[in-house]
């Protein structure tokens, strides 16, 4: 890893202090033109020696606004310190994890995976309008039926039709023949420009789509397409656990990627990430934002610099090797759990590089699912699956209790 290092606590604190000191201090500054400030001291405790050892709390009190995209052009001078830490995050993610060439990427800390996915759709919609004078009726979003509902939100907001591709019930793989036939029908109905969402670990299954399958079919039919990878859950584990993954910027079929830091990375909520190749994000420049020093290229506009600092802290507290160890601990727990399910003859889905095990509901009594907080694939009607995710708080001892109670319940049901 070229940029992803592990820093001592002292160095972390020093870097964050340096960044905050480079920002405008609204406690001492008399700048009259900014509609932002530190937190209200009449409401919040904004001082105390405890802050010396709490750089994240100090960041929230300073309340930096990281508006803009700091990998491109100019940004607000008042927040240059926290912007620099955000640039370091984007560099680590784009170059060290997703194998972009230095300087050939853009990106920013979004409010979550939903925003990042919609940002990608917005970019590609505007690109097609600008380069091809395309109409909305000529565009279509393709995604598997397991895709996160944020894509349906994007479809609604941008007025672009979304078509779901069926998957195999057991393998969760996209059905290639079905994809081919759907694309053929869409073209016959006037669709010319395709916006693809390909999953790197779906929310329910942790299943991983093959973006090259989309590319193969769309190139076969000679249509324009862009592929966005939704790695909201898988982005901080799959590229590390699967060394042979080609779902990155070395793959010419991949144009942009979503990651969520508030999932696997355990950052505060409101910390998704949008990454893309150079030359794309300019398609969503809001020219009317004249009072912003630099270019506003994001959906949300004003963004929390403190949340960016939180992500920076986590990445550089672990470093690559520390994170690798953490991920492998979770994968070992996942493997142990699947062996227990095999012993009980319970059918499940699991991608071998992911920490999600999704159990067929016919094997799981509802009282067990409710007691242990398993997540169903639907809360409306009859569900087919229950999801178990191995995170830091899910230890082997917790899994043993679940396995033993499930086994007892299954034995009891057989006796009756």
């Amino acid at each position: 890893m070229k940029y992803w290092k592990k820093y001592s606590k002292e160095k972390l604190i020093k870097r964050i202090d340096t960044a905050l000191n480079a920002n405008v201090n609204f406690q001492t500054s008399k700048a009259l033109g900014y509609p932002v400030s530190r937190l209200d001291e009449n409401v919040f405790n904004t001082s105390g020696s405890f802050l010396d050892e709490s750089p994240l709390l100090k960041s929230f009190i300073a309340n930096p606004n990281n508006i803009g995209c700091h990998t491109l052009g100019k940004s607000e001078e008042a927040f240059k310190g926290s912007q620099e830490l955000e640039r370091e995050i984007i560099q680590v993610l784009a170059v060290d994890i997703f194998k972009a060439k230095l300087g050939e990427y853009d990106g920013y800390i979004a409010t979550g995976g939903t925003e990042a996915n919609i940002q990608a759709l917005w970019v590609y919609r505007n690109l097609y309008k600008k380069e091809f004078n395309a109409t909305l009726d000529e565009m279509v979003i393709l995604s598997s039926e397991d895709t996160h509902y944020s894509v349906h939100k994007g479809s609604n907001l941008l007025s672009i039709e979304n078509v779901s591709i069926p998957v195999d019930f057991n393998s969760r793989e996209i059905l290639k023949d079905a994809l081919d036939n759907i694309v053929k029908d869409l073209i016959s109905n006037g669709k010319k420009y395709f916006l693809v969402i390909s999953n790197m670990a779906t929310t329910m299954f942790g299943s991983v789509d093959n973006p090259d399958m989309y590319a193969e079919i769309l190139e076969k039919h000679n249509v324009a397409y862009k592929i966005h990878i939704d790695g909201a859950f898988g982005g901080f584990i799959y590229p590390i656990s699967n060394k042979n993954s080609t779902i990155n910027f070395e793959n010419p079929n991949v144009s942009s990627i979503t990651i969520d830091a508030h999932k696997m990375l355990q950052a505060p909520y409101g910390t998704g990430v949008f990454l893309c190749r150079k030359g794309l994000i300019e398609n969503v420049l809001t020219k009317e934002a004249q009072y912003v020093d630099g270019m506003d290229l994001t959906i949300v506009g004003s963004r929390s610099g403190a949340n960016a600092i939180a992500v920076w802290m986590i990445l550089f507290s672990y470093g690559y090797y520390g994170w690798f160890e953490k991920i492998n601990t979770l994968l070992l727990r996942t493997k142990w759990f699947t062996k227990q399910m095999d012993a009980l003859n319970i059918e499940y889905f699991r991608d071998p590089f992911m920490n999600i095990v999704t159990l067929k509901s016919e094997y799981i009594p509802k009282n067990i699912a409710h007691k242990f907080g398993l997540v169903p694939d639907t809360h409306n009607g009859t569900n087919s699956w229950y999801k178990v995710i191995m995170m830091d708080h899910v230890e082997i001892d917790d899994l043993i209790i679940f396995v033993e109670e499930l086994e007892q319940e299954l034995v009891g049901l057989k006796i009756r």
Side-chain angles (χ1 to χ4, degrees):
M1 293 289 150
K2 190 172 182 180
Y3 301 105
W4 194 1
K5 310 297 182 183
K6 180 176 181 177
Y7 294 160
S8 66
K9 184 177 180 181
E10 292 73 23
K11 184 168 183 177
L12 289 167
I13 292 174
K14 184 177 180 180
R15 283 294 313 280
I16 292 170
D17 283 344
T18 300
L20 293 178
N21 289 334
N23 287 3
V24 169
N25 185 328
F26 288 101
Q27 190 173 45
T28 59
S29 171
K30 300 302 179 183
L32 302 181
Y34 289 98
V36 290
S37 65
R38 294 165 68 95
L39 295 185
D40 189 330
E41 294 181 356
N42 294 315
V43 179
F44 303 102
N45 182 6
T46 61
S47 62
S49 59
F50 69 95
L51 291 175
D52 294 338
E53 297 296 318
S54 305
L56 181 58
L57 290 179
K58 192 183 298 184
S59 301
F60 278 108
I61 290 169
N63 200 27
N65 180 357
N66 274 22
I67 188 171
C69 174
H70 313 307
T71 59
L72 180 66
K74 201 179 166 186
S75 295
E76 287 280 3
E77 182 73 13
F79 306 106
K80 62 184 179 182
S82 52
Q83 293 166 10
E84 178 57 32
L85 296 187
E86 181 167 324
R87 268 192 294 273
E88 290 185 24
I89 295 167
I90 300 303
Q91 181 174 259
V92 164
L93 300 180
V95 178
D96 284 346
I97 296 183
F98 289 105
K99 302 183 179 180
K101 292 182 179 178
L102 188 62
E104 294 188 7
Y105 57 86
D106 285 310
Y108 71 97
I109 304 296
T111 57
T114 292
E115 181 196 334
N117 284 344
I118 295 172
Q119 175 84 14
L121 296 174
W122 186 30
V123 166
Y124 300 142
R125 184 201 70 169
N126 286 9
L127 181 150
Y128 288 143
K129 289 172 69 176
K130 179 180 176 182
E131 291 194 3
F132 302 100
N133 199 29
T135 64
L136 296 179
D137 288 341
E138 293 175 318
M139 302 182 203
V140 63
I141 301 167
L142 295 183
S143 58
S144 87
E145 63 184 44
D146 287 340
T147 296
H148 189 261
Y149 63 81
S150 58
V151 177
H152 299 280
K153 283 188 177 183
S155 167
N156 182 271
L157 285 166
L158 297 169
S159 297
I160 303 173
E161 182 183 0
N162 180 56
V163 175
S164 294
I165 311 301
V167 301
D168 180 86
F169 182 78
N170 292 306
S171 72
R172 311 315 298 180
E173 291 181 0
I174 291 171
L175 299 176
K176 187 174 182 179
D177 288 344
L179 172 62
D180 192 11
N181 289 330
I182 287 171
V183 169
K184 194 182 306 180
D185 289 343
L186 288 169
I187 292 170
S188 68
N189 288 319
K191 302 300 183 185
K192 300 177 181 178
Y193 308 99
F194 289 75
L195 302 79
V196 177
I197 305 294
S198 183
N199 294 292
M200 180 189 287
T202 55
T203 306
M204 189 66 203
F205 298 94
S207 52
V208 178
D209 299 336
N210 179 6
D212 296 333
M213 180 192 296
Y214 280 110
E216 178 187 342
I217 297 298
L218 293 167
E219 287 176 8
K220 169 186 171 183
H221 292 284
N222 197 29
V223 291
Y225 68 91
K226 289 291 183 183
I227 297 178
H228 174 72
I229 304 299
D230 180 4
F233 191 89
F236 280 110
I237 177 169
Y238 188 82
I240 295 163
S241 59
N242 184 2
K243 294 293 186 182
N244 296 318
S245 172
T246 59
I247 308 177
N248 53 52
F249 287 119
E250 285 186 337
N251 185 336
N253 296 324
V254 173
S255 292
S256 55
I257 300 172
T258 284
I259 326 168
D260 258 1
H262 59 227
K263 290 187 172 71
M264 282 304 302
L265 209 64
Q266 296 176 267
Y269 276 105
T271 47
V273 184
F274 174 75
L275 302 173
C276 66
R277 296 181 185 276
K278 278 289 182 189
L280 290 173
I281 201 168
E282 295 92 328
N283 286 288
V284 293
L285 171 64
T286 303
K287 296 178 182 178
E288 293 79 6
Q290 294 295 312
Y291 69 85
V292 176
D293 191 8
M295 297 186 289
D296 187 2
L297 298 155
T298 70
I299 289 175
V300 74
S302 293
R303 300 186 287 108
S304 170
N307 277 6
I309 290 172
V311 179
W312 184 91
M313 282 183 65
I314 297 169
L315 287 175
F316 289 96
S317 291
Y318 280 94
Y320 169 74
Y321 293 105
W323 190 251
F324 180 83
E325 288 179 354
K326 176 175 177 173
I327 291 302
N328 276 278
T329 297
L330 298 179
L331 292 174
L332 285 171
R333 292 178 194 171
T334 310
K335 188 174 182 179
W336 179 91
F337 183 73
T338 58
K339 287 184 177 179
Q340 312 313 306
M341 296 300 98
D342 290 337
L344 294 175
N345 294 314
I346 291 174
E347 294 183 25
Y348 58 86
F349 172 85
R350 184 219 168 185
D351 183 284
F353 300 103
M354 290 300 302
N355 57 330
I356 297 176
V357 181
T358 310
L359 312 171
K360 288 189 176 179
S361 62
E362 63 194 85
Y363 297 93
I364 311 298
K366 287 187 177 180
N367 62 309
I368 292 289
H370 178 75
K371 179 177 180 178
F372 288 92
L374 307 190
V375 175
D377 58 327
T378 178
H379 289 279
N380 302 313
T382 304
N383 65 291
S384 301
W385 301 88
Y386 285 113
K387 177 173 66 172
V388 178
I389 304 180
M390 309 303 157
M391 299 292 285
D392 274 2
H393 69 281
V394 182
E395 298 181 346
I396 292 290
D397 288 343
D398 304 308
L399 296 172
I400 288 173
I401 294 171
F402 170 77
V403 171
E404 289 178 346
E405 292 199 24
L406 175 59
E407 184 175 17
Q408 290 173 8
E409 189 78 18
L410 294 176
V411 168
L413 289 172
K414 289 176 183 176
I415 291 174
R416 286 193 288 272

